[in-house]
Amino acid sequence: NAGVTQTPKFRVLKTGQSMTLLCAQDMNHEYMYWYRQDPGMGLRLIHYSVGEGTTAKGEVPDGYNVSRLKKQNFLLGLESAAPSQTSVYFCASSYERQETQYFGPGTRLLVL
Amino acid sequence: GQSLEQPSEVTAVEGAIVQINCTYQTSGFYGLSWYQQHDGGAPTFLSYNALDGLEETGRFSSFLSRSDSYGYLLLQELQMKDSASYFCAVNELGYKLSFGAGTTVTVRA
């Protein structure tokens, strides 16, 4: 089991560029989540999914879009990157027992 | 909405006991979780309390008082490898978590 994997590990973008972050899990989890982590602010929920084909907004969804076309994958898109989106992005997934979330290693994004 | 408060930093020596408090205000509450994160790596699950009382997992214990909207994580017999950030998180709607800002624990020899 690879658990939760994220691609890429690190990326530098220029303002206005677009990109997609990929999250994959091989644990057959129904629930998947995207968080961003900034210094001193903990983890903030961007979007989440409670099953294949479903998505919902979290705490800080503006500037991001997501898709869950397959159960094992959860994609996070930035259509027009801004310096304020410089952050570390973590993906997580969980079983029905939602309090136990399994996190990926993170993607470090720098927007210049 | 929700808010969680926990101390930003705690320092202790090896072998000591550390208690990290977490107070919360939420519109709904299903339980309180604790996660550990080393040096910006992947957060990992430590414990979960849905009901009042103490949950023990090895050297770590977690406590919850729903009436006081309060919980804590107790780290016993501190080891150098316990130096990390610890986050409390409220399960507010049954399927998503809201995290506190984290407590950085530094263990000194």
Side-chain angles (χ1 to χ4, degrees):
Chain A
N1 272 356
V4 180
T5 58
Q6 292 183 232
T7 311
K9 289 184 173 55
F10 178 71
R11 184 76 182 268
V12 179
L13 289 179
K14 295 181 180 179
T15 297
Q17 287 185 317
S18 63
M19 79 164 294
T20 300
L21 284 68
L22 171 64
C23 175
Q25 53 93 5
D26 61 2
M27 297 175 282
N28 201 34
H29 287 174
E30 288 292 335
Y31 300 81
M32 296 187 75
Y33 314 82
W34 275 108
Y35 295 91
R36 60 178 288 173
Q37 185 175 35
D38 302 296
M41 298 189 75
L43 292 146
R44 292 184 292 168
L45 184 64
I46 304 171
H47 285 281
Y48 62 98
S49 168
V50 299
E52 180 179 317
T54 74
T55 62
K57 294 181 179 180
E59 183 184 352
V60 288
D62 294 343
Y64 305 95
N65 56 74
V66 287
S67 64
R68 183 98 181 269
L69 298 180
K70 292 183 178 181
K71 186 177 183 178
Q72 64 267 31
N73 295 338
F74 196 27
L75 278 64
L76 178 71
L78 287 73
E79 290 188 350
S80 180
S84 61
Q85 293 177 305
T86 292
S87 188
V88 181
Y89 292 86
F90 287 99
C91 175
S93 69
S94 65
Y95 289 114
E96 292 179 1
R97 187 174 181 234
Q98 284 79 47
E99 68 282 357
T100 305
Q101 293 188 9
Y102 297 83
F103 284 80
T107 294
R108 282 151 181 80
L109 177 64
L110 175 62
V111 183
L112 302 175
Chain B
Q2 75 292 325
S3 70
L4 295 91
E5 291 192 10
Q6 54 181 125
S8 59
E9 295 182 21
V10 173
T11 300
V13 297
E14 274 186 300
I17 298 174
V18 161
Q19 179 172 317
I20 304 171
N21 297 322
C22 176
T23 58
Y24 58 87
Q25 288 184 319
T26 62
S27 54
F29 183 83
Y30 282 76
L32 186 70
S33 302
W34 290 91
Y35 284 78
Q36 179 191 59
Q37 184 182 37
H38 282 101
D39 294 330
T44 56
F45 172 78
L46 288 178
S47 68
Y48 174 69
N49 295 73
L51 302 175
D52 287 358
L54 190 68
E55 293 282 343
E56 297 181 81
T57 308
R59 294 185 297 112
F60 295 175
S61 303
S62 59
F63 172 83
L64 176 65
S65 169
R66 295 174 68 119
S67 60
D68 295 324
S69 298
Y70 163 77
Y72 67 72
L73 179 69
L74 194 69
L75 315 180
Q76 302 181 75
E77 301 173 17
L78 273 180
Q79 302 177 7
M80 297 298 288
K81 66 179 181 180
D82 298 330
S83 291
S85 292
Y86 294 83
F87 297 88
C88 60
V90 166
N91 186 321
E92 190 174 3
L93 294 177
Y95 50 85
K96 66 185 182 80
L97 298 175
S98 297
F99 285 81
T103 299
T104 300
V105 173
T106 302
V107 181
R108 295 182 174 173

